Amino acid sequence: MMTSVIGISTLLPSSRTSLQSPLLSLTDDDNNNNRLKNRRKPINIAMSLSSSSSKTLRKLEVVTPVPADIDIANSVEPFHISEIAKELNLSSNHYDLYGKYKAKVLLSVIEELESRENGYYVVVGGITPTPLGEGKSTTVVGLCQALGAYLDKKVVTCLRQPSQGPTFGIKGGAAGGGYSQVIPMDEFNLHLTGDIHAITAANNLLAAAIDTRIFHEASQSDKALLNRLCPLKKGKRSVADVMFKRLKKLGISKTNPDEFTPEEVTKFVRLDIDPETITWRRVMDVNDRFLRKITIGQGPDEKGMVRETGFDISVASEIMAVLALTTSLSDMRERLGNMVIGNSKAGNPITADDLGVGGALTVLMKDAINPTLMQTLEGTPVLVHAGPFANIAHGNSSIVADKIALKLVGPGGFVVTEAGFGADIGTEKFMNIKCRYSGLNPQCAVIVATIRALKMHGGGPEVVAGKPLDQAYTSENVALVEAGCVNLARHISNTRAYGVNVVVAVNMFSTDSEAELNAVKSAALAAGAFDAVVCTHHAHGGNGAVDLGIAVQKACENVTEPLKFLYPLDISIKEKIEAIARSYGASGVEYSEQAEKQIEMYTKQGFSSLPICMAKTQYSFSDIPSKKGAPSGFVLPIRDIRASIGAGFIYPLVGTMSTMPGLPTRPCFFDIDVDTTTGKVLGLS
Amino acid sequence: MMTSVIGISTLLPSSRTSLQSPLLSLTDDDNNNNRLKNRRKPINIAMSLSSSSSKTLRKLEVVTPVPADIDIANSVEPFHISEIAKELNLSSNHYDLYGKYKAKVLLSVIEELESRENGYYVVVGGITPTPLGEGKSTTVVGLCQALGAYLDKKVVTCLRQPSQGPTFGIKGGAAGGGYSQVIPMDEFNLHLTGDIHAITAANNLLAAAIDTRIFHEASQSDKALLNRLCPLKKGKRSVADVMFKRLKKLGISKTNPDEFTPEEVTKFVRLDIDPETITWRRVMDVNDRFLRKITIGQGPDEKGMVRETGFDISVASEIMAVLALTTSLSDMRERLGNMVIGNSKAGNPITADDLGVGGALTVLMKDAINPTLMQTLEGTPVLVHAGPFANIAHGNSSIVADKIALKLVGPGGFVVTEAGFGADIGTEKFMNIKCRYSGLNPQCAVIVATIRALKMHGGGPEVVAGKPLDQAYTSENVALVEAGCVNLARHISNTRAYGVNVVVAVNMFSTDSEAELNAVKSAALAAGAFDAVVCTHHAHGGNGAVDLGIAVQKACENVTEPLKFLYPLDISIKEKIEAIARSYGASGVEYSEQAEKQIEMYTKQGFSSLPICMAKTQYSFSDIPSKKGAPSGFVLPIRDIRASIGAGFIYPLVGTMSTMPGLPTRPCFFDIDVDTTTGKVLGLS
């Protein structure tokens, strides 16, 4: 049964707050709080289900105006997750249940299906967004609902797990929106299956290990340290397995510490960490601005060993990036052990395994490596896994989830995965970092655009979250849209260069005119897009993205080129940075003294062959957020350069990146509560 | 099939490291690390199962010497937890699976079985322990294995969830030991079902809310604050539900903020928190000594609003105590909202609900309120739930787990629950705090004793963790044991005073002689114990605690008195403290100036009717750990007094309590790793 179609412009809400990933909602400007004003009142929702060939697919009967996200989410009874798993041909030994609506799919599925051909691999990026976000997550979900519930394709959506910080701070739901959502929405936005908590625990165990090691080295002789690190057991010194890694690194081939020369004992027992070089910070999955910069060690028993440091939000931990980029349990063990926390006073990198803690970190992360299966409103399967920061990390969901999904959908099926931020950052990192490590080949890249954002790029007035939109955005202005398409065009040509077919998805608002929409289509095709499609999945669920689904299918079936990277790995750090800068439109790159020093150090330490993860604003191709459209001829400044050696990338900082959000005067938590009679979560959106 | 019984003294390991709760392993003395020396090497374990009337019960065939805990744990294939649930007549809608071996039992079971009679309720405490611990957890598990697998009783074990800090720091397994363990041991000791992570998240959200509120109040006018806290929506000010609580407390009956007088606006929008009075600290489930005392707010954007504070380990959070003492979801909502974080400058207590965050805290804790079902080595059911600190909190597992368990075992069945620390603290708090809030009636209290600890109380040399035991402890010395029984006797008479029957369980070591064991039995009976039994459950599993099981059953069946508390609630704070001090043998109590001030304040604030939770060393009845035996005539010093208003108790500090452990030079994590081929955890014990 299909819903009768009413004129689209009357169906759409006039002021839809498109959703952006909470990872990106870093501002704690109080004004943002006013975004809540735009929220629709709950209304009575009539929703009926139509049957499908699959037992778990449903088509939604939608109502207008579109109700609040939480009301839509709560109006649908999710299928037991074992039913969703069954549709993917997973049996109960392939997953662990976490309650009724979540299951962790075990990594062994990849091996079991090794001989099976992969499905089509689709990445969704966006044009340079307004601060309101242009609905990328919602489009990912809507596209999958279309492919699964309307086009009868095997499909899996791969999404990032959101941080809890923004959930209670400034709103930024990450489960999609309107009739394109992942459910249950509260479980998606809260603990999920504990992966971020595991990251927090692992990150902070490593942090504690660093300071305590410095503390104990400061007060003990070489002999005392050796006695404690390798205690005598029945007359023989015991050496933990992890210590052999350090011995090997130090070039000590003896295995009995009693045979070490005094110099070898010193080298072995003293990490001699230079506190000034420690880059490892503690983390917490809470918006707590007062932890951005702190002094630790002020207790009377810590002997005056104070140090300035700070907390990041958990999703900014390198361990999150490791989780997202790892390919197996043994690979994760290696990456976690290889994480560099700082240097010794002699300038050598000190790793988690030098501290003896790489194994324990892996134990803490061993369940987190399994992605979490959930479902969309229309009953299609979703894998939620990892949520690395999109600025200081690569902002993409996990490789293992994509790998599992590609095997599960099999040939002819579709895996749709989202890349955080605009395509200049998200899709670029998807290709050059994620696909490089995974070896996977995407066939199609979707670029999500809105008339609103294009008008902004065409010269429209500033768009500020929480403030009413200027009327330039709500009345027809084709010229403004056309002018703004330079932004879209550059994203298209940049993305085309990877060898994928590009489909532009115009996420439509009720105020968009047909002429405006047509202008975007023409510009997109002229810039080399395979197709450009208008979609209304927020208001109509999968039914509003059927054309997009068909376009994506054709794009996948007709790809002719192999994946091409923007840069090879074996050139210098600077050459790689410059290749990426050119894709932004920059005419050159300027390095600070600090950046020069870091490049020299990482090169000397042997890390120069890693891919580059630019930490740049998403609000402009350039480093200056106010430069809209497609700026060119600017010089990109590199302020500093850092590295996530375990995760496997070097990240140049273009400007200041906040890695710990704050709370506004009236955070979302004021509205959040539990109905203690029903146990239902209230006020979450 | 029963195991052939060999002479017990040849069966027992000569140097068994009894287990203590990791909550109690707070010292980071490097010497403790040497405790690892005593660990047995893994050996080949032959273990066969005998059938039982129940489908999930197994009897263990034990080997000697007793293998390492992890090897015993890994040698048994746990039953799928749904099988364990089925034996308790739970159907799949009564619980949520978390993997194959854990399930969260839903609170609704209590209501559903409301009309059913409770089973017998048994609490296990101990004598004043040595630093090695006397095997209380192990006895709890062994007793339950005996009741379930050998005596054919319905039984549920209720245990605390251990903190992850000590798991990676200084060893303190909390899953029992030897042939009396909860399995899978790694899942028990690691994330479990995420409850402690939820507590960390909730605790730190509240902490962030406090500092941010002070920050925003400092920079905004009353009007600006009101505009943000109650933004205009369609011309009307929106007031969040939680704000009505504050209005009620302030005596403001108006509901439209626009009608507030300027004074009312000020009172409403300004919590005016006095930073000096903030008692709420951040938490982390990691042993991180460098966070004991820190300075926060040093970032350039925090406008110089620096403050000294610190982190506790997560299990020391008041939210953990709330979880342990709550009785329902609505009760938890109230307690979380009522938690006091400090005072206003005018001296009024400021609560989580004043900050608007009580509902969000409840949302974060809504799954944590459901206890986790696991199993013992012999297939009896275990509920793991909550693990509040045993010094600054009450150190008992949760009320809801006990309530569910008592309904599930039903009349004639047994629920065995552990009380942390010695009986002077653990059992006292179990009775006067936990049972007072739950309304439950225990019939029997077990007191665990060892010959080793009794010899120490009789005047034996100091027992130091990690150092070899003096030969006084390994050779027969009946006189020393007899002298030490004064400690046991006082614990017995104190516990008898609650109206329960006391059974003494002597946790036997291979070096204990029959004469020594007989001396304990005589002393116990003379002091008023219902029975005294020697047990060997560490070496023999349930089979080694059958006599204890029979004694406990008789004790329960023959209880004649109702539960009596040590003090009524309606006397003054000082009178309550003094009643408890008398039970320690003190002749008086001495209050510091600070304590006097706090008593006055809490009394003025209306909190004097709460029960008292003494924060005292567990190593002596007195405040001085070296005073062994049954000291009397001493004056108990009260250094300070604090309160957990939401959890519902006032806690006087007798001496300094560390609430954040540290790591030694060689923490356990050096040995912990994952076998990346099998996924099995290595090195955990």
Side-chain angles (χ1 to χ4, degrees), chain B residues 381-660:
Chain B
V382 178
L383 284 178
V384 188
H385 204 210
F389 237 44
N391 46 23
I392 61 153
H394 65 295
N396 279 262
S397 65
S398 86
I399 286 176
V400 294
D402 289 2
K403 282 199 161 186
I404 290 173
L406 287 164
K407 292 299 178 196
L408 289 178
V409 300
F414 292 83
V415 172
V416 184
T417 191
E418 184 189 355
F421 279 13
D424 52 331
I425 307 177
T427 306
E428 185 271 304
K429 294 176 184 177
F430 171 83
M431 300 290 182
N432 292 306
I433 301 178
K434 186 175 174 183
C435 288
R436 181 123 46 185
Y437 279 120
S438 71
L440 296 172
N441 283 303
Q443 287 78 33
C444 170
V446 173
I447 298 180
V448 179
T450 61
I451 296 295
R452 177 176 69 196
L454 290 169
K455 284 178 173 170
M456 174 188 75
H457 290 296
E462 197 185 353
V463 176
V464 179
K467 291 203 177 149
L469 276 177
D470 187 280
Q471 73 145 11
Y473 295 101
T474 51
S475 53
E476 185 178 278
N477 190 332
V478 179
L480 213 52
V481 172
E482 281 174 339
C485 281
V486 289
N487 183 273
L488 174 62
R490 185 181 286 167
H491 284 296
I492 292 171
S493 63
N494 278 356
T495 307
R496 271 292 294 131
Y498 295 106
V500 295
N501 281 331
V502 174
V503 173
V504 173
V506 187
N507 185 17
M508 186 184 159
F509 285 62
S510 63
T511 46
D512 301 346
S513 80
E514 208 171 318
E516 289 173 330
L517 294 166
N518 285 334
V520 183
K521 283 199 209 177
S522 307
L525 295 174
F530 182 88
D531 204 348
V533 186
V534 173
C535 8
T536 62
H537 42 275
H538 183 276
H540 300 124
N543 200 15
V546 169
D547 288 349
L548 178 61
I550 294 169
V552 164
Q553 183 187 349
K554 283 192 188 150
C556 287
E557 288 167 353
N558 291 290
V559 75
T560 54
E561 299 170 63
L563 179 63
K564 285 174 290 198
F565 298 121
L566 181 58
Y567 54 84
L569 291 182
D570 58 2
I571 57 177
S572 72
I573 292 176
K574 282 192 176 181
E575 286 169 314
K576 282 183 267 197
I577 292 174
E578 282 146 24
I580 300 169
R582 272 193 300 276
S583 79
Y584 296 158
S587 59
V589 178
E590 196 173 75
Y591 300 91
S592 71
E593 206 176 310
Q594 170 68 7
E596 293 277 5
K597 230 177 64 189
Q598 294 293 103
I599 290 174
E600 197 183 328
M601 184 189 80
Y602 290 130
T603 306
K604 199 174 129 203
Q605 291 180 341
F607 300 134
S608 67
S609 63
L610 292 173
I612 302 294
C613 183
M614 296 290 263
K616 179 183 78 73
T617 177
Q618 63 168 329
Y619 294 118
S620 171
F621 272 109
S622 78
D623 58 304
I624 298 160
S626 60
K627 279 195 186 168
K628 303 300 180 189
S632 63
F634 58 92
V635 174
L636 193 76
I638 306 292
R639 189 173 60 85
D640 198 356
I641 298 204
R642 305 213 182 121
S644 288
I645 300 302
F649 53 75
I650 289 193
Y651 60 101
L653 299 180
V654 185
T656 317
M657 296 293 145
S658 168
T659 46
M660 174 54 95

Side-chain angles (χ1 to χ4, degrees), chain A residues 152-192:
Chain A
D152 220 20
K153 302 293 176 196
K154 281 266 179 201
V155 63
V156 173
T157 313
C158 288
L159 285 180
R160 288 170 291 171
Q161 180 186 356
S163 163
Q164 276 181 185
T167 304
F168 294 102
I170 297 172
K171 196 58 252 126
Y179 285 104
S180 296
Q181 289 190 58
V182 181
I183 53 172
M185 188 248 242
D186 56 339
E187 300 193 19
F188 180 86
N189 282 310
L190 296 171
H191 310 289
L192 201 73

Side-chain angles (χ1 to χ4, degrees), chain A residues 96 100 282 288 295 298, chain B residues 96-97 100 282 288 295 298:
Chain A
D96 281 336
K100 293 167 182 64
R282 289 166 177 82
D288 193 346
T295 299
Q298 298 178 317
Chain B
D96 282 336
L97 289 173
K100 292 167 182 64
R282 289 165 177 83
D288 193 345
T295 299
Q298 297 178 318

